[in-house]
Amino acid sequence: MIEKIRQTAGYIRQRVSEIPDTAIILGTGLGALVDHISDKQFIPYKEIPNFPVSTVEGHSGNLIFGKLGTKPVLAMQGRFHYYEGYDMKEVTFPVRVMKELGIKTLYVSNAAGGMNKEFRVGDIMIITDHINLFPENPLRGKNYEELGPRFPAMTEAYSHELIAKADEIARNRGIRVMHGVYVGVPGPTFETPAEYEYFRIIGGDAVGMSTVPEVIVANHASMRVFGVSVITDLGGKDVTDVPTHEEVQRAAQEAQPRMMQIMRALVEEA
Ligand code: HPA
């Protein structure tokens, strides 16, 4: 695995002029951030040795190097989901490569279903913590000490400092943001009403099919992490809403300008 990580990082290094210390995984809700990145250099995933190729509708696969305002960034346009059939090592391989490239801070976004009764469709939820309900941990198997410790702590998986900064940015701009615990599930089914209820009872505020694997690996690698969810649908035992991929895309689209304002300011200031 180490050899593959180094080979991929080496390939990327010789394709771009500058390697930033900040990376953004552009999940649902942040895709349009690409339009705000200047001096862009694209590397399609299919050209990158050892990289999986993204297949899901609404996600195109490129690494993008450029500047967000004055800040050099690496953006992942399209991520790898467990439900597509990739294993946890494949899903998190790009984060391993980021670490090898020298990335120190990782920003992630996703779409999620809300269980918290205060939440409304279109809300932005800053992720304060997560519950891993994937069937496997991406760190299972041999540990490479040069990548991180065997038993990494997850007590501050989402940087408190970045959460506080994001809160301040949102407050100054009058953007409503919620805080919450993200439950990561394999998908691809949306939840039954009983499952949404169960996730709420165990302490979850929103549920989605991504993010947790990448955040585990980023923490293993001692990166600072900031994560945000767009609440695209609501679930629970009294909720009659039937979530669809189209509804999720639509709600994410609507929240995108607000997400973008927060992310952009945060990346520039942090
Ligand atoms: N459940 C799981 N994943 C999701 C949801 C949901 O309700 N909405 C968007 N992604």
Side-chain angles (χ1 to χ4, degrees):
M1 176 159 83
I2 305 260
E3 265 322 296
K4 278 192 171 169
I5 295 167
R6 291 196 180 133
Q7 183 191 27
T8 306
Y11 173 84
I12 292 167
R13 262 195 217 101
Q14 52 88 22
R15 289 260 328 233
V16 295
S17 44
E18 185 183 6
I19 301 286
D21 65 7
T22 300
I24 311 171
I25 300 179
L26 301 171
T28 311
L30 265 188
L33 195 76
V34 172
D35 302 335
H36 295 250
I37 300 176
S38 59
D39 307 328
K40 285 191 277 275
Q41 290 177 281
F42 285 79
I43 312 180
Y45 292 163
K46 61 178 184 308
E47 294 175 12
I48 304 175
N50 310 317
F51 244 56
V53 175
S54 185
T55 59
V56 76
E57 193 187 330
H59 298 262
S60 43
N62 293 290
L63 283 190
I64 300 168
F65 290 81
K67 288 210 168 90
L68 190 59
T70 55
K71 187 100 170 177
V73 294
L74 156 56
M76 265 187 84
Q77 187 180 34
R79 61 147 62 90
F80 304 104
H81 298 88
Y82 185 77
Y83 63 75
E84 293 177 84
Y86 303 112
D87 66 32
M88 293 293 258
K89 299 263 184 314
E90 291 173 312
V91 169
T92 55
F93 183 74
V95 182
R96 293 287 187 207
V97 173
M98 285 175 189
K99 176 64 181 183
E100 178 68 20
L101 288 170
I103 298 293
K104 302 270 188 293
T105 308
L106 177 65
Y107 297 87
V108 294
S109 77
N110 59 54
M115 294 84 77
N116 184 317
K117 294 184 196 301
E118 307 281 307
F119 288 5
R120 307 195 288 248
V121 168
D123 270 347
I124 292 170
M125 182 188 91
I126 293 175
I127 305 176
T128 55
D129 203 350
H130 74 220
I131 297 175
N132 177 21
L133 293 183
F134 283 86
E136 195 192 316
N137 190 297
L139 304 180
R140 190 173 85 93
K142 179 174 164 55
N143 188 60
Y144 296 89
E145 282 297 322
E146 54 270 60
L147 300 182
R150 171 73 291 185
F151 301 109
M154 291 292 290
T155 25
E156 193 181 334
Y158 299 84
S159 159
H160 294 175
E161 186 197 343
L162 291 176
I163 292 170
K165 279 210 173 97
D167 277 340
E168 191 188 324
I169 289 164
R171 198 164 47 242
N172 289 341
R173 286 168 174 70
I175 299 172
R176 169 181 155 108
V177 286
M178 313 306 276
H179 277 196
V181 174
Y182 177 90
V183 180
V185 295
T189 46
F190 291 115
E191 288 64 37
T192 64
E195 285 166 344
Y196 284 115
E197 198 64 14
Y198 163 57
F199 296 153
R200 189 182 64 78
I201 290 167
I202 64 171
D205 296 291
V207 55
M209 307 173 196
S210 67
T211 302
V212 164
E214 294 107 312
V215 170
I216 289 174
V217 168
N219 272 271
H220 183 236
S222 303
M223 292 184 204
R224 272 199 313 176
V225 175
F226 177 80
V228 69
S229 297
V230 192
I231 304 303
T232 55
D233 52 275
L234 300 171
K237 67 176 168 8
D238 308 319
V239 183
T240 51
D241 178 35
V242 179
T244 63
H245 185 58
E246 290 67 34
E247 181 196 13
V248 167
Q249 297 292 82
R250 206 177 326 113
Q253 195 75 27
E254 187 273 321
Q256 193 145 266
R258 284 173 284 132
M259 285 272 264
M260 202 132 64
Q261 276 193 57
I262 296 173
M263 251 342 170
R264 208 189 144 136
L266 186 60
V267 167
E268 277 215 72
E269 287 173 26

